[in-house]
PDB file of all heavy atoms in Angstrom:
ATOM      1  N   LEU A   1       0.833  -1.204   0.000  1.00  0.00           N
ATOM      2  CA  LEU A   1       0.000   0.000   0.000  1.00  0.00           C
ATOM      3  C   LEU A   1       0.870   1.258   0.000  1.00  0.00           C
ATOM      4  O   LEU A   1       0.569   2.219  -0.712  1.00  0.00           O
ATOM      5  CB  LEU A   1      -0.946  -0.006   1.207  1.00  0.00           C
ATOM      6  CG  LEU A   1      -1.911   1.169   1.298  1.00  0.00           C
ATOM      7  CD1 LEU A   1      -2.865   1.199   0.109  1.00  0.00           C
ATOM      8  CD2 LEU A   1      -2.701   1.091   2.602  1.00  0.00           C
ATOM      9  N   LYS A   2       1.950   1.251   0.757  1.00  0.00           N
ATOM     10  CA  LYS A   2       2.859   2.404   0.770  1.00  0.00           C
ATOM     11  C   LYS A   2       3.382   2.684  -0.632  1.00  0.00           C
ATOM     12  O   LYS A   2       3.430   3.831  -1.071  1.00  0.00           O
ATOM     13  CB  LYS A   2       4.026   2.167   1.727  1.00  0.00           C
ATOM     14  CG  LYS A   2       3.661   2.303   3.174  1.00  0.00           C
ATOM     15  CD  LYS A   2       4.861   2.022   4.066  1.00  0.00           C
ATOM     16  CE  LYS A   2       4.457   2.040   5.520  1.00  0.00           C
ATOM     17  NZ  LYS A   2       5.562   1.665   6.408  1.00  0.00           N
ATOM     18  N   GLU A   3       3.783   1.628  -1.344  1.00  0.00           N
ATOM     19  CA  GLU A   3       4.278   1.789  -2.714  1.00  0.00           C
ATOM     20  C   GLU A   3       3.162   2.266  -3.642  1.00  0.00           C
ATOM     21  O   GLU A   3       3.369   3.120  -4.492  1.00  0.00           O
ATOM     22  CB  GLU A   3       4.885   0.479  -3.233  1.00  0.00           C
ATOM     23  CG  GLU A   3       6.177   0.098  -2.546  1.00  0.00           C
ATOM     24  CD  GLU A   3       7.242   1.165  -2.674  1.00  0.00           C
ATOM     25  OE1 GLU A   3       7.503   1.628  -3.799  1.00  0.00           O
ATOM     26  OE2 GLU A   3       7.812   1.554  -1.624  1.00  0.00           O
ATOM     27  N   TYR A   4       1.989   1.689  -3.478  1.00  0.00           N
ATOM     28  CA  TYR A   4       0.844   2.041  -4.322  1.00  0.00           C
ATOM     29  C   TYR A   4       0.458   3.508  -4.149  1.00  0.00           C
ATOM     30  O   TYR A   4       0.187   4.209  -5.114  1.00  0.00           O
ATOM     31  CB  TYR A   4      -0.335   1.129  -3.983  1.00  0.00           C
ATOM     32  CG  TYR A   4      -1.552   1.314  -4.856  1.00  0.00           C
ATOM     33  CD1 TYR A   4      -1.506   1.058  -6.212  1.00  0.00           C
ATOM     34  CD2 TYR A   4      -2.763   1.725  -4.309  1.00  0.00           C
ATOM     35  CE1 TYR A   4      -2.628   1.215  -7.017  1.00  0.00           C
ATOM     36  CE2 TYR A   4      -3.889   1.880  -5.099  1.00  0.00           C
ATOM     37  CZ  TYR A   4      -3.811   1.622  -6.451  1.00  0.00           C
ATOM     38  OH  TYR A   4      -4.923   1.773  -7.234  1.00  0.00           O
ATOM     39  N   LEU A   5       0.472   3.982  -2.902  1.00  0.00           N
ATOM     40  CA  LEU A   5       0.094   5.370  -2.637  1.00  0.00           C
ATOM     41  C   LEU A   5       1.095   6.356  -3.225  1.00  0.00           C
ATOM     42  O   LEU A   5       0.757   7.506  -3.484  1.00  0.00           O
ATOM     43  CB  LEU A   5      -0.076   5.608  -1.136  1.00  0.00           C
ATOM     44  CG  LEU A   5      -1.287   4.919  -0.509  1.00  0.00           C
ATOM     45  CD1 LEU A   5      -1.300   5.119   1.003  1.00  0.00           C
ATOM     46  CD2 LEU A   5      -2.598   5.373  -1.124  1.00  0.00           C
ATOM     47  N   LYS A   6       2.325   5.906  -3.470  1.00  0.00           N
ATOM     48  CA  LYS A   6       3.317   6.769  -4.118  1.00  0.00           C
ATOM     49  C   LYS A   6       2.949   7.048  -5.569  1.00  0.00           C
ATOM     50  O   LYS A   6       3.265   8.106  -6.099  1.00  0.00           O
ATOM     51  CB  LYS A   6       4.706   6.134  -4.076  1.00  0.00           C
ATOM     52  CG  LYS A   6       5.328   6.113  -2.708  1.00  0.00           C
ATOM     53  CD  LYS A   6       6.679   5.420  -2.754  1.00  0.00           C
ATOM     54  CE  LYS A   6       7.263   5.269  -1.365  1.00  0.00           C
ATOM     55  NZ  LYS A   6       8.534   4.526  -1.413  1.00  0.00           N
ATOM     56  N   VAL A   7       2.311   6.069  -6.229  1.00  0.00           N
ATOM     57  CA  VAL A   7       1.973   6.239  -7.644  1.00  0.00           C
ATOM     58  C   VAL A   7       0.543   6.700  -7.865  1.00  0.00           C
ATOM     59  O   VAL A   7       0.211   7.159  -8.940  1.00  0.00           O
ATOM     60  CB  VAL A   7       2.242   4.958  -8.480  1.00  0.00           C
ATOM     61  CG1 VAL A   7       3.701   4.615  -8.445  1.00  0.00           C
ATOM     62  CG2 VAL A   7       1.388   3.799  -8.038  1.00  0.00           C
ATOM     63  N   VAL A   8      -0.305   6.560  -6.855  1.00  0.00           N
ATOM     64  CA  VAL A   8      -1.675   7.062  -6.965  1.00  0.00           C
ATOM     65  C   VAL A   8      -1.647   8.488  -6.449  1.00  0.00           C
ATOM     66  O   VAL A   8      -1.709   8.744  -5.265  1.00  0.00           O
ATOM     67  CB  VAL A   8      -2.671   6.216  -6.151  1.00  0.00           C
ATOM     68  CG1 VAL A   8      -4.062   6.815  -6.214  1.00  0.00           C
ATOM     69  CG2 VAL A   8      -2.700   4.798  -6.651  1.00  0.00           C
ATOM     70  N   LYS A   9      -1.519   9.412  -7.372  1.00  0.00           N
ATOM     71  CA  LYS A   9      -1.391  10.818  -7.028  1.00  0.00           C
ATOM     72  C   LYS A   9      -2.676  11.542  -7.372  1.00  0.00           C
ATOM     73  O   LYS A   9      -3.551  11.020  -8.037  1.00  0.00           O
ATOM     74  CB  LYS A   9      -0.238  11.441  -7.823  1.00  0.00           C
ATOM     75  CG  LYS A   9       1.094  10.785  -7.551  1.00  0.00           C
ATOM     76  CD  LYS A   9       2.157  11.380  -8.422  1.00  0.00           C
ATOM     77  CE  LYS A   9       3.474  10.665  -8.190  1.00  0.00           C
ATOM     78  NZ  LYS A   9       4.503  11.090  -9.092  1.00  0.00           N
ATOM     79  N   GLU A  10      -2.720  12.757  -6.923  1.00  0.00           N
ATOM     80  CA  GLU A  10      -3.829  13.604  -7.351  1.00  0.00           C
ATOM     81  C   GLU A  10      -3.771  13.728  -8.863  1.00  0.00           C
ATOM     82  O   GLU A  10      -2.683  13.810  -9.438  1.00  0.00           O
ATOM     83  CB  GLU A  10      -3.712  14.989  -6.716  1.00  0.00           C
ATOM     84  CG  GLU A  10      -3.936  15.000  -5.223  1.00  0.00           C
ATOM     85  CD  GLU A  10      -5.337  14.595  -4.846  1.00  0.00           C
ATOM     86  OE1 GLU A  10      -6.296  15.065  -5.478  1.00  0.00           O
ATOM     87  OE2 GLU A  10      -5.468  13.793  -3.909  1.00  0.00           O
ATOM     88  N   PRO A  11      -4.919  13.744  -9.524  1.00  0.00           N
ATOM     89  CA  PRO A  11      -4.895  13.870 -10.985  1.00  0.00           C
ATOM     90  C   PRO A  11      -4.175  15.144 -11.431  1.00  0.00           C
ATOM     91  O   PRO A  11      -4.279  16.175 -10.789  1.00  0.00           O
ATOM     92  CB  PRO A  11      -6.376  13.939 -11.368  1.00  0.00           C
ATOM     93  CG  PRO A  11      -7.093  13.329 -10.209  1.00  0.00           C
ATOM     94  CD  PRO A  11      -6.259  13.622  -8.996  1.00  0.00           C
ATOM     95  N   LEU A  12      -3.428  15.031 -12.511  1.00  0.00           N
ATOM     96  CA  LEU A  12      -2.764  16.183 -13.114  1.00  0.00           C
ATOM     97  C   LEU A  12      -3.802  16.939 -13.927  1.00  0.00           C
ATOM     98  O   LEU A  12      -4.466  16.364 -14.783  1.00  0.00           O
ATOM     99  CB  LEU A  12      -1.634  15.711 -14.031  1.00  0.00           C
ATOM    100  CG  LEU A  12      -0.996  16.751 -14.930  1.00  0.00           C
ATOM    101  CD1 LEU A  12      -0.175  17.722 -14.091  1.00  0.00           C
ATOM    102  CD2 LEU A  12      -0.120  16.094 -15.974  1.00  0.00           C
ATOM    103  N   LYS A  13      -3.963  18.199 -13.641  1.00  0.00           N
ATOM    104  CA  LYS A  13      -4.918  18.991 -14.409  1.00  0.00           C
ATOM    105  C   LYS A  13      -4.282  19.330 -15.749  1.00  0.00           C
ATOM    106  O   LYS A  13      -3.222  19.935 -15.790  1.00  0.00           O
ATOM    107  CB  LYS A  13      -5.285  20.277 -13.671  1.00  0.00           C
ATOM    108  CG  LYS A  13      -6.076  20.038 -12.410  1.00  0.00           C
ATOM    109  CD  LYS A  13      -7.436  19.475 -12.695  1.00  0.00           C
ATOM    110  CE  LYS A  13      -8.207  19.232 -11.425  1.00  0.00           C
ATOM    111  NZ  LYS A  13      -9.387  18.455 -11.606  1.00  0.00           N
ATOM    112  N   ILE A  14      -4.907  18.910 -16.813  1.00  0.00           N
ATOM    113  CA  ILE A  14      -4.445  19.238 -18.155  1.00  0.00           C
ATOM    114  C   ILE A  14      -5.140  20.536 -18.520  1.00  0.00           C
ATOM    115  O   ILE A  14      -6.358  20.587 -18.569  1.00  0.00           O
ATOM    116  CB  ILE A  14      -4.807  18.127 -19.175  1.00  0.00           C
ATOM    117  CG1 ILE A  14      -4.218  16.797 -18.737  1.00  0.00           C
ATOM    118  CG2 ILE A  14      -4.359  18.517 -20.569  1.00  0.00           C
ATOM    119  CD1 ILE A  14      -2.718  16.768 -18.667  1.00  0.00           C
ATOM    120  N   GLU A  15      -4.367  21.526 -18.707  1.00  0.00           N
ATOM    121  CA  GLU A  15      -4.802  22.886 -18.960  1.00  0.00           C
ATOM    122  C   GLU A  15      -6.279  23.004 -19.346  1.00  0.00           C
ATOM    123  O   GLU A  15      -6.659  22.745 -20.477  1.00  0.00           O
ATOM    124  CB  GLU A  15      -3.929  23.496 -20.062  1.00  0.00           C
ATOM    125  CG  GLU A  15      -4.115  24.970 -20.224  1.00  0.00           C
ATOM    126  CD  GLU A  15      -3.120  25.532 -21.203  1.00  0.00           C
ATOM    127  OE1 GLU A  15      -1.919  25.289 -21.018  1.00  0.00           O
ATOM    128  OE2 GLU A  15      -3.547  26.176 -22.155  1.00  0.00           O
ATOM    129  N   PHE A  16      -7.104  23.324 -18.363  1.00  0.00           N
ATOM    130  CA  PHE A  16      -8.528  23.639 -18.473  1.00  0.00           C
ATOM    131  C   PHE A  16      -9.426  22.579 -19.105  1.00  0.00           C
ATOM    132  O   PHE A  16     -10.578  22.825 -19.318  1.00  0.00           O
ATOM    133  CB  PHE A  16      -8.747  24.980 -19.192  1.00  0.00           C
ATOM    134  CG  PHE A  16      -8.201  25.058 -20.605  1.00  0.00           C
ATOM    135  CD1 PHE A  16      -8.825  24.441 -21.662  1.00  0.00           C
ATOM    136  CD2 PHE A  16      -7.034  25.759 -20.858  1.00  0.00           C
ATOM    137  CE1 PHE A  16      -8.319  24.509 -22.942  1.00  0.00           C
ATOM    138  CE2 PHE A  16      -6.524  25.849 -22.142  1.00  0.00           C
ATOM    139  CZ  PHE A  16      -7.166  25.217 -23.185  1.00  0.00           C
ATOM    140  N   LYS A  17      -8.883  21.376 -19.429  1.00  0.00           N
ATOM    141  CA  LYS A  17      -9.752  20.451 -20.164  1.00  0.00           C
ATOM    142  C   LYS A  17      -9.734  19.001 -19.695  1.00  0.00           C
ATOM    143  O   LYS A  17     -10.393  18.178 -20.290  1.00  0.00           O
ATOM    144  CB  LYS A  17      -9.387  20.456 -21.662  1.00  0.00           C
ATOM    145  CG  LYS A  17      -9.701  21.760 -22.356  1.00  0.00           C
ATOM    146  CD  LYS A  17     -11.179  22.001 -22.407  1.00  0.00           C
ATOM    147  CE  LYS A  17     -11.470  23.293 -23.113  1.00  0.00           C
ATOM    148  NZ  LYS A  17     -12.850  23.609 -23.175  1.00  0.00           N
ATOM    149  N   GLY A  18      -8.983  18.600 -18.675  1.00  0.00           N
ATOM    150  CA  GLY A  18      -9.034  17.186 -18.319  1.00  0.00           C
ATOM    151  C   GLY A  18      -8.102  16.804 -17.190  1.00  0.00           C
ATOM    152  O   GLY A  18      -7.478  17.648 -16.564  1.00  0.00           O
ATOM    153  N   ASP A  19      -8.030  15.500 -16.930  1.00  0.00           N
ATOM    154  CA  ASP A  19      -7.226  14.962 -15.839  1.00  0.00           C
ATOM    155  C   ASP A  19      -6.402  13.778 -16.317  1.00  0.00           C
ATOM    156  O   ASP A  19      -6.774  13.076 -17.253  1.00  0.00           O
ATOM    157  CB  ASP A  19      -8.126  14.458 -14.706  1.00  0.00           C
ATOM    158  CG  ASP A  19      -8.946  15.559 -14.072  1.00  0.00           C
ATOM    159  OD1 ASP A  19      -8.360  16.612 -13.788  1.00  0.00           O
ATOM    160  OD2 ASP A  19     -10.137  15.346 -13.859  1.00  0.00           O
ATOM    161  N   LEU A  20      -5.305  13.553 -15.626  1.00  0.00           N
ATOM    162  CA  LEU A  20      -4.463  12.383 -15.856  1.00  0.00           C
ATOM    163  C   LEU A  20      -4.033  11.883 -14.490  1.00  0.00           C
ATOM    164  O   LEU A  20      -3.577  12.667 -13.662  1.00  0.00           O
ATOM    165  CB  LEU A  20      -3.223  12.760 -16.679  1.00  0.00           C
ATOM    166  CG  LEU A  20      -2.139  11.695 -16.792  1.00  0.00           C
ATOM    167  CD1 LEU A  20      -2.640  10.536 -17.643  1.00  0.00           C
ATOM    168  CD2 LEU A  20      -0.886  12.287 -17.397  1.00  0.00           C
ATOM    169  N   ALA A  21      -4.201  10.606 -14.214  1.00  0.00           N
ATOM    170  CA  ALA A  21      -3.777  10.042 -12.938  1.00  0.00           C
ATOM    171  C   ALA A  21      -3.101   8.700 -13.181  1.00  0.00           C
ATOM    172  O   ALA A  21      -3.545   7.922 -14.025  1.00  0.00           O
ATOM    173  CB  ALA A  21      -4.977   9.857 -12.019  1.00  0.00           C
ATOM    174  N   ARG A  22      -2.028   8.467 -12.469  1.00  0.00           N
ATOM    175  CA  ARG A  22      -1.364   7.166 -12.535  1.00  0.00           C
ATOM    176  C   ARG A  22      -2.111   6.248 -11.585  1.00  0.00           C
ATOM    177  O   ARG A  22      -2.277   6.563 -10.411  1.00  0.00           O
ATOM    178  CB  ARG A  22       0.085   7.313 -12.116  1.00  0.00           C
ATOM    179  CG  ARG A  22       0.879   6.058 -12.377  1.00  0.00           C
ATOM    180  CD  ARG A  22       2.337   6.332 -12.190  1.00  0.00           C
ATOM    181  NE  ARG A  22       3.096   5.188 -12.638  1.00  0.00           N
ATOM    182  CZ  ARG A  22       4.382   5.210 -12.797  1.00  0.00           C
ATOM    183  NH1 ARG A  22       5.053   6.318 -12.590  1.00  0.00           N
ATOM    184  NH2 ARG A  22       5.019   4.135 -13.192  1.00  0.00           N
ATOM    185  N   ILE A  23      -2.552   5.109 -12.096  1.00  0.00           N
ATOM    186  CA  ILE A  23      -3.352   4.200 -11.293  1.00  0.00           C
ATOM    187  C   ILE A  23      -2.468   3.134 -10.649  1.00  0.00           C
ATOM    188  O   ILE A  23      -2.538   2.898  -9.462  1.00  0.00           O
ATOM    189  CB  ILE A  23      -4.465   3.545 -12.143  1.00  0.00           C
ATOM    190  CG1 ILE A  23      -5.422   4.631 -12.625  1.00  0.00           C
ATOM    191  CG2 ILE A  23      -5.199   2.489 -11.353  1.00  0.00           C
ATOM    192  CD1 ILE A  23      -6.485   4.143 -13.553  1.00  0.00           C
ATOM    193  N   TRP A  24      -1.638   2.485 -11.441  1.00  0.00           N
ATOM    194  CA  TRP A  24      -0.790   1.410 -10.922  1.00  0.00           C
ATOM    195  C   TRP A  24       0.305   1.158 -11.935  1.00  0.00           C
ATOM    196  O   TRP A  24       0.020   0.974 -13.109  1.00  0.00           O
ATOM    197  CB  TRP A  24      -1.617   0.149 -10.734  1.00  0.00           C
ATOM    198  CG  TRP A  24      -0.849  -1.008 -10.183  1.00  0.00           C
ATOM    199  CD1 TRP A  24      -0.042  -1.861 -10.867  1.00  0.00           C
ATOM    200  CD2 TRP A  24      -0.813  -1.459  -8.840  1.00  0.00           C
ATOM    201  NE1 TRP A  24       0.485  -2.797 -10.042  1.00  0.00           N
ATOM    202  CE2 TRP A  24       0.027  -2.579  -8.782  1.00  0.00           C
ATOM    203  CE3 TRP A  24      -1.394  -1.027  -7.667  1.00  0.00           C
ATOM    204  CZ2 TRP A  24       0.285  -3.271  -7.605  1.00  0.00           C
ATOM    205  CZ3 TRP A  24      -1.135  -1.726  -6.512  1.00  0.00           C
ATOM    206  CH2 TRP A  24      -0.309  -2.832  -6.482  1.00  0.00           C
ATOM    207  N   GLY A  25       1.531   1.119 -11.515  1.00  0.00           N
ATOM    208  CA  GLY A  25       2.627   0.798 -12.420  1.00  0.00           C
ATOM    209  C   GLY A  25       2.607   1.654 -13.658  1.00  0.00           C
ATOM    210  O   GLY A  25       2.780   2.861 -13.592  1.00  0.00           O
ATOM    211  N   SER A  26       2.349   1.029 -14.795  1.00  0.00           N
ATOM    212  CA  SER A  26       2.343   1.768 -16.060  1.00  0.00           C
ATOM    213  C   SER A  26       0.925   2.031 -16.565  1.00  0.00           C
ATOM    214  O   SER A  26       0.729   2.357 -17.720  1.00  0.00           O
ATOM    215  CB  SER A  26       3.142   0.996 -17.121  1.00  0.00           C
ATOM    216  OG  SER A  26       2.548  -0.257 -17.347  1.00  0.00           O
ATOM    217  N   GLU A  27      -0.084   1.895 -15.681  1.00  0.00           N
ATOM    218  CA  GLU A  27      -1.459   2.154 -16.076  1.00  0.00           C
ATOM    219  C   GLU A  27      -1.847   3.586 -15.692  1.00  0.00           C
ATOM    220  O   GLU A  27      -1.629   4.020 -14.571  1.00  0.00           O
ATOM    221  CB  GLU A  27      -2.416   1.178 -15.387  1.00  0.00           C
ATOM    222  CG  GLU A  27      -2.214  -0.256 -15.830  1.00  0.00           C
ATOM    223  CD  GLU A  27      -3.154  -1.204 -15.107  1.00  0.00           C
ATOM    224  OE1 GLU A  27      -4.273  -0.789 -14.749  1.00  0.00           O
ATOM    225  OE2 GLU A  27      -2.753  -2.346 -14.901  1.00  0.00           O
ATOM    226  N   PHE A  28      -2.413   4.303 -16.647  1.00  0.00           N
ATOM    227  CA  PHE A  28      -2.837   5.680 -16.427  1.00  0.00           C
ATOM    228  C   PHE A  28      -4.301   5.831 -16.783  1.00  0.00           C
ATOM    229  O   PHE A  28      -4.811   5.128 -17.651  1.00  0.00           O
ATOM    230  CB  PHE A  28      -2.015   6.643 -17.305  1.00  0.00           C
ATOM    231  CG  PHE A  28      -0.577   6.722 -16.905  1.00  0.00           C
ATOM    232  CD1 PHE A  28       0.339   5.805 -17.377  1.00  0.00           C
ATOM    233  CD2 PHE A  28      -0.147   7.718 -16.049  1.00  0.00           C
ATOM    234  CE1 PHE A  28       1.668   5.867 -17.002  1.00  0.00           C
ATOM    235  CE2 PHE A  28       1.178   7.798 -15.671  1.00  0.00           C
ATOM    236  CZ  PHE A  28       2.092   6.874 -16.149  1.00  0.00           C
ATOM    237  N   GLN A  29      -4.956   6.745 -16.115  1.00  0.00           N
ATOM    238  CA  GLN A  29      -6.340   7.083 -16.437  1.00  0.00           C
ATOM    239  C   GLN A  29      -6.347   8.503 -16.970  1.00  0.00           C
ATOM    240  O   GLN A  29      -5.833   9.414 -16.326  1.00  0.00           O
ATOM    241  CB  GLN A  29      -7.212   6.996 -15.195  1.00  0.00           C
ATOM    242  CG  GLN A  29      -8.643   7.432 -15.435  1.00  0.00           C
ATOM    243  CD  GLN A  29      -9.452   7.348 -14.158  1.00  0.00           C
ATOM    244  OE1 GLN A  29      -9.047   6.754 -13.175  1.00  0.00           O
ATOM    245  NE2 GLN A  29     -10.609   7.957 -14.173  1.00  0.00           N
ATOM    246  N   ILE A  30      -6.905   8.674 -18.149  1.00  0.00           N
ATOM    247  CA  ILE A  30      -6.945   9.986 -18.786  1.00  0.00           C
ATOM    248  C   ILE A  30      -8.405  10.372 -19.001  1.00  0.00           C
ATOM    249  O   ILE A  30      -9.185   9.582 -19.528  1.00  0.00           O
ATOM    250  CB  ILE A  30      -6.215   9.971 -20.144  1.00  0.00           C
ATOM    251  CG1 ILE A  30      -4.754   9.587 -19.942  1.00  0.00           C
ATOM    252  CG2 ILE A  30      -6.337  11.327 -20.839  1.00  0.00           C
ATOM    253  CD1 ILE A  30      -4.006   9.310 -21.221  1.00  0.00           C
ATOM    254  N   THR A  31      -8.756  11.569 -18.579  1.00  0.00           N
ATOM    255  CA  THR A  31     -10.101  12.081 -18.791  1.00  0.00           C
ATOM    256  C   THR A  31      -9.984  13.427 -19.489  1.00  0.00           C
ATOM    257  O   THR A  31      -9.356  14.341 -18.970  1.00  0.00           O
ATOM    258  CB  THR A  31     -10.843  12.271 -17.456  1.00  0.00           C
ATOM    259  OG1 THR A  31     -10.813  11.049 -16.733  1.00  0.00           O
ATOM    260  CG2 THR A  31     -12.268  12.715 -17.687  1.00  0.00           C
ATOM    261  N   ILE A  32     -10.538  13.528 -20.678  1.00  0.00           N
ATOM    262  CA  ILE A  32     -10.587  14.789 -21.405  1.00  0.00           C
ATOM    263  C   ILE A  32     -12.024  15.279 -21.323  1.00  0.00           C
ATOM    264  O   ILE A  32     -12.959  14.548 -21.644  1.00  0.00           O
ATOM    265  CB  ILE A  32     -10.170  14.624 -22.889  1.00  0.00           C
ATOM    266  CG1 ILE A  32      -8.756  14.040 -22.993  1.00  0.00           C
ATOM    267  CG2 ILE A  32     -10.287  15.944 -23.622  1.00  0.00           C
ATOM    268  CD1 ILE A  32      -7.656  14.951 -22.522  1.00  0.00           C
ATOM    269  N   GLU A  33     -12.203  16.503 -20.885  1.00  0.00           N
ATOM    270  CA  GLU A  33     -13.542  17.035 -20.672  1.00  0.00           C
ATOM    271  C   GLU A  33     -13.939  17.966 -21.802  1.00  0.00           C
ATOM    272  O   GLU A  33     -13.149  18.785 -22.251  1.00  0.00           O
ATOM    273  CB  GLU A  33     -13.581  17.803 -19.353  1.00  0.00           C
ATOM    274  CG  GLU A  33     -13.243  16.930 -18.166  1.00  0.00           C
ATOM    275  CD  GLU A  33     -13.039  17.712 -16.889  1.00  0.00           C
ATOM    276  OE1 GLU A  33     -13.136  18.954 -16.917  1.00  0.00           O
ATOM    277  OE2 GLU A  33     -12.791  17.069 -15.869  1.00  0.00           O
ATOM    278  N   GLY A  34     -15.159  17.839 -22.237  1.00  0.00           N
ATOM    279  CA  GLY A  34     -15.717  18.757 -23.221  1.00  0.00           C
ATOM    280  C   GLY A  34     -15.137  18.597 -24.615  1.00  0.00           C
ATOM    281  O   GLY A  34     -14.421  17.655 -24.912  1.00  0.00           O
ATOM    282  N   GLN A  35     -15.477  19.518 -25.472  1.00  0.00           N
ATOM    283  CA  GLN A  35     -15.016  19.541 -26.854  1.00  0.00           C
ATOM    284  C   GLN A  35     -13.690  20.284 -26.933  1.00  0.00           C
ATOM    285  O   GLN A  35     -13.545  21.351 -26.365  1.00  0.00           O
ATOM    286  CB  GLN A  35     -16.041  20.248 -27.752  1.00  0.00           C
ATOM    287  CG  GLN A  35     -17.394  19.582 -27.787  1.00  0.00           C
ATOM    288  CD  GLN A  35     -17.363  18.328 -28.640  1.00  0.00           C
ATOM    289  OE1 GLN A  35     -16.592  18.235 -29.578  1.00  0.00           O
ATOM    290  NE2 GLN A  35     -18.203  17.368 -28.313  1.00  0.00           N
ATOM    291  N   LEU A  36     -12.729  19.714 -27.602  1.00  0.00           N
ATOM    292  CA  LEU A  36     -11.440  20.356 -27.783  1.00  0.00           C
ATOM    293  C   LEU A  36     -11.237  20.712 -29.248  1.00  0.00           C
ATOM    294  O   LEU A  36     -11.481  19.883 -30.119  1.00  0.00           O
ATOM    295  CB  LEU A  36     -10.287  19.433 -27.359  1.00  0.00           C
ATOM    296  CG  LEU A  36     -10.201  19.017 -25.899  1.00  0.00           C
ATOM    297  CD1 LEU A  36      -9.010  18.086 -25.704  1.00  0.00           C
ATOM    298  CD2 LEU A  36     -10.062  20.219 -25.000  1.00  0.00           C
ATOM    299  N   GLY A  37     -10.759  21.918 -29.473  1.00  0.00           N
ATOM    300  CA  GLY A  37     -10.321  22.275 -30.816  1.00  0.00           C
ATOM    301  C   GLY A  37      -8.990  21.596 -31.097  1.00  0.00           C
ATOM    302  O   GLY A  37      -8.358  21.035 -30.201  1.00  0.00           O
ATOM    303  N   GLN A  38      -8.528  21.633 -32.345  1.00  0.00           N
ATOM    304  CA  GLN A  38      -7.294  20.956 -32.720  1.00  0.00           C
ATOM    305  C   GLN A  38      -6.097  21.455 -31.904  1.00  0.00           C
ATOM    306  O   GLN A  38      -5.312  20.659 -31.402  1.00  0.00           O
ATOM    307  CB  GLN A  38      -7.021  21.131 -34.211  1.00  0.00           C
ATOM    308  CG  GLN A  38      -5.779  20.374 -34.650  1.00  0.00           C
ATOM    309  CD  GLN A  38      -5.532  20.499 -36.150  1.00  0.00           C
ATOM    310  OE1 GLN A  38      -6.304  21.120 -36.868  1.00  0.00           O
ATOM    311  NE2 GLN A  38      -4.451  19.899 -36.603  1.00  0.00           N
ATOM    312  N   ASP A  39      -5.950  22.768 -31.752  1.00  0.00           N
ATOM    313  CA  ASP A  39      -4.823  23.312 -30.994  1.00  0.00           C
ATOM    314  C   ASP A  39      -4.895  22.905 -29.520  1.00  0.00           C
ATOM    315  O   ASP A  39      -3.886  22.529 -28.921  1.00  0.00           O
ATOM    316  CB  ASP A  39      -4.776  24.840 -31.107  1.00  0.00           C
ATOM    317  CG  ASP A  39      -4.384  25.302 -32.506  1.00  0.00           C
ATOM    318  OD1 ASP A  39      -3.791  24.494 -33.262  1.00  0.00           O
ATOM    319  OD2 ASP A  39      -4.671  26.473 -32.836  1.00  0.00           O
ATOM    320  N   GLU A  40      -6.087  22.971 -28.929  1.00  0.00           N
ATOM    321  CA  GLU A  40      -6.257  22.571 -27.531  1.00  0.00           C
ATOM    322  C   GLU A  40      -5.941  21.092 -27.345  1.00  0.00           C
ATOM    323  O   GLU A  40      -5.293  20.696 -26.392  1.00  0.00           O
ATOM    324  CB  GLU A  40      -7.681  22.849 -27.066  1.00  0.00           C
ATOM    325  CG  GLU A  40      -8.027  24.318 -27.000  1.00  0.00           C
ATOM    326  CD  GLU A  40      -9.515  24.511 -26.791  1.00  0.00           C
ATOM    327  OE1 GLU A  40     -10.316  23.800 -27.431  1.00  0.00           O
ATOM    328  OE2 GLU A  40      -9.873  25.387 -25.994  1.00  0.00           O
TER     329      GLU A  40
END
């Protein structure tokens, strides 16, 4: 659990549009919110 809590961090806020969180080892959860233009 100590090791797991090191990699389970608060989600990284992706500039105004989503989240990224490391779940376990090399597994990540990515959430993109809303409609994004190509540049965004």
Side-chain angles (χ1 to χ4, degrees):
L1 182 62
K2 285 179 185 175
E3 291 302 309
Y4 185 63
L5 291 175
K6 289 178 185 177
V7 298
V8 176
K9 300 176 183 174
E10 291 296 315
L12 169 70
K13 292 294 180 192
I14 303 298
E15 191 173 307
F16 60 75
K17 292 294 181 181
D19 297 314
L20 170 69
R22 189 169 189 169
I23 296 175
W24 181 279
S26 61
E27 294 179 31
F28 292 85
Q29 176 181 346
I30 300 170
T31 306
I32 302 292
E33 300 170 359
Q35 299 284 331
L36 296 179
Q38 183 178 358
D39 290 340
E40 293 169 318

